[in-house]
Amino acid sequence: MSNRQRKIMERQAEKNRLLAAAKRSSSATNSSTTGENTTARTPFRESELQFLARHPVPDFSLALDFRRPVEDLLRDHPKLKRVRLNGGRRLSQFSELFGVKETEVDGQEQKQEEYAYLHEDHPGLIYIPAAFTPAAQRTLIKSCLKEYSRHPNKSSLDTHYKVPASGLWDLHENVYLNKQSLEDPSVFVPRKADVDQQANGYGSDDDDDDNEAEGQDSNGKKQENGPRPKPTQQHQPATKKSKPSSTTNPPQRRAMVPITDETPTVPDNTPKNDPEPSSQVPILPPSQLIRKMRWITLGYQYHWPSKTYHFDQNAPFPKELCILSKAVVAAVDNSGEVEGKDGREGEGEGGRFEYPYPAEDFVAEAGVINYYQLKDRLMGHVDRSELNKHAPLVSFSFGHSCIYLLGGPTREQSPTPILLQSGDILVMTGPCRSAFHGVPRIIEDTLPEYLQKDLSDPEWDIYADYLAEARINLNIRQVYPPKSSTSDTPAE
């Protein structure tokens, strides 16, 4: 087949996809305006569509905002309970990695008290707002982009690209600081299929969500991973954009991939083969390729096709993240002193967090860093891959705010929308570990000022540029039951 014939087929395939997407979008619109039966959609799916919509813009004030004044928050949400952390201590007393918060009253610096929240509809959820200082957030963001993205940790790009062991961020930084030019072929990461035919990475497009809008925005437009030009030379960026082919393997979808949506059914003795690298992925400058990176796996590496862990692939877990996650579990353990609706301390109903997990039993063994661009989303799913279903899942948010949907054990339960903001911590334990959850929307123009460009700190500029259109989520898990855990957790 000639290049001209191939391009004609690619254009036609793209037109067919867009027409099909527009038809689905039109059908959904007609259903809502004509009263057509939409009972086939679950409450969770309805909520996803509500926040996925671009026109009209959703009412984000419907989401639970834990940064509101406590009196207003508890009055408007009677199912919330505010609790003190373990022993009434501040997070910085559990670990200096949170940073030390100080407020000034009458000219005197005072240590700021910190609280967490529980929700009656979601037993096992504990939410700690504004847990990190701006400086502490910057430190962790730098690590997520630069340090943790290096080998032996694997990324979504490793399936198709020969990513250097030092990671992609170093290349991006060299070009950004004019240490290397785009005229230098070595700054372009080659396709793995061009170098060899052996795939060592993990597929990032194995999303088994059964929703019809998967990989599309509310207008029916497929969220591609960028154009897929076929450069004439291996290390040169393409100058002419062509439409993606319908036969390209695998499809490049912009929906994020949940770590699992089904109980793993692949036996332990079944070979966990990695996806084949594609020869059709584009060769891009580092500044563009870095935005195609969707996830990094820490500790026990994850096999996305089978939705199980590679128990024989255990990368060293970052020491500071071991300390940080263990500190969160210690802070949550024995949290209590439930307060009244007006924010004043009271006797409380139950008094303490019902699903504690001893900090000495917690071992950080696996983690995922999700890198969201503004139009990315993570569809509803349940995490079921860990052998230890009782240990807390600790989740940190940085960058742009998002809408986080937290439901129940099935999609039939209406989810609670939560406004996740930079520096917040969400912990899921007990029944909450079996709850459907997802991120249908990253909210534009919500990047905190302290994460934007800073004239006094030019070294931060490259990170600020990335965060201008991004959100980072770092979540940490314990895979094995306490007595089976083999990882060595550093002492604080």
Side-chain angles (χ1 to χ4, degrees), residues 47 50-51 57-65 68 76-77 403-405 415-419 443:
S47 189
Q50 175 186 1
F51 288 104
V57 177
D59 183 359
F60 298 124
S61 67
L62 296 175
L64 191 53
D65 181 359
R68 292 180 59 196
D76 296 343
H77 300 277
I403 297 296
Y404 180 87
L405 296 181
T416 298
I418 297 173
L419 181 65
I443 306 177

Side-chain angles (χ1 to χ4, degrees), residues 168-177 286-287 290 462 466:
L168 181 59
W169 189 264
D170 285 356
L171 283 176
H172 172 46
E173 192 172 54
N174 286 343
V175 175
Y176 188 90
L177 299 176
S287 61
I290 197 73
I462 186 173
Y466 179 85

